[in-house]
Amino acid sequence: MPDTKLPHPSDLKTIGLTPFIYCSNQPLFHVSAGVPIGDALSQASDLLFLVKAFAEDAAYDKKTDRHAWGAYFLTAMSKAVIDDVVKVISYPKQTSSK
């Protein structure tokens, strides 16, 4: 029976299979493959920080919806990054040591 070893989390990278923002039922954007998951999650955290600020602004500024739309698109981007990372960590490739 081969000895299996899971990759170290710092070696994991995004797989780029997660689309976001659709136009005419086609994804306009997707997460890029090959980004270290730590960097990807850090970026998602920064995006979610902005989402929180935009959502708060939207709650107080009833004259415009620009903050709400900004929060909407940033949320879609953040969710896609997190979903892509979850795909990587949920189904890690097992490597066999020789």
Side-chain angles (χ1 to χ4, degrees), residues 9-23:
S10 64
D11 295 332
L12 298 175
K13 298 183 183 326
T14 56
I15 54 176
L17 296 178
T18 309
F20 62 97
I21 311 296
Y22 287 79
C23 293

Side-chain angles (χ1 to χ4, degrees), residues 3-39:
D3 189 20
T4 59
K5 180 181 171 189
L6 294 176
H8 191 272
S10 64
D11 295 332
L12 298 175
K13 298 183 183 326
T14 56
I15 54 176
L17 296 178
T18 309
F20 62 97
I21 311 296
Y22 287 79
C23 293
S24 301
N25 295 323
Q26 296 182 15
L28 185 59
F29 301 106
H30 70 278
V31 174
S32 294
V35 177
I37 63 169
D39 293 344

Side-chain angles (χ1 to χ4, degrees), residues 33-90:
V35 177
I37 63 169
D39 293 344
L41 290 174
S42 178
Q43 185 65 51
S45 178
D46 290 345
L47 293 171
L48 289 170
F49 175 82
L50 291 172
V51 167
K52 182 178 181 282
F54 280 6
E56 185 176 327
D57 289 347
Y60 290 111
D61 189 356
K62 303 298 182 193
K63 297 176 194 160
T64 181
D65 61 359
R66 73 174 179 236
H67 296 101
W69 280 110
Y72 170 80
F73 286 110
L74 289 169
T75 300
M77 294 166 63
S78 304
K79 183 181 182 323
V81 170
I82 292 169
D83 288 351
D84 203 76
V85 169
V86 167
K87 289 174 187 172
V88 172
I89 62 175
S90 295

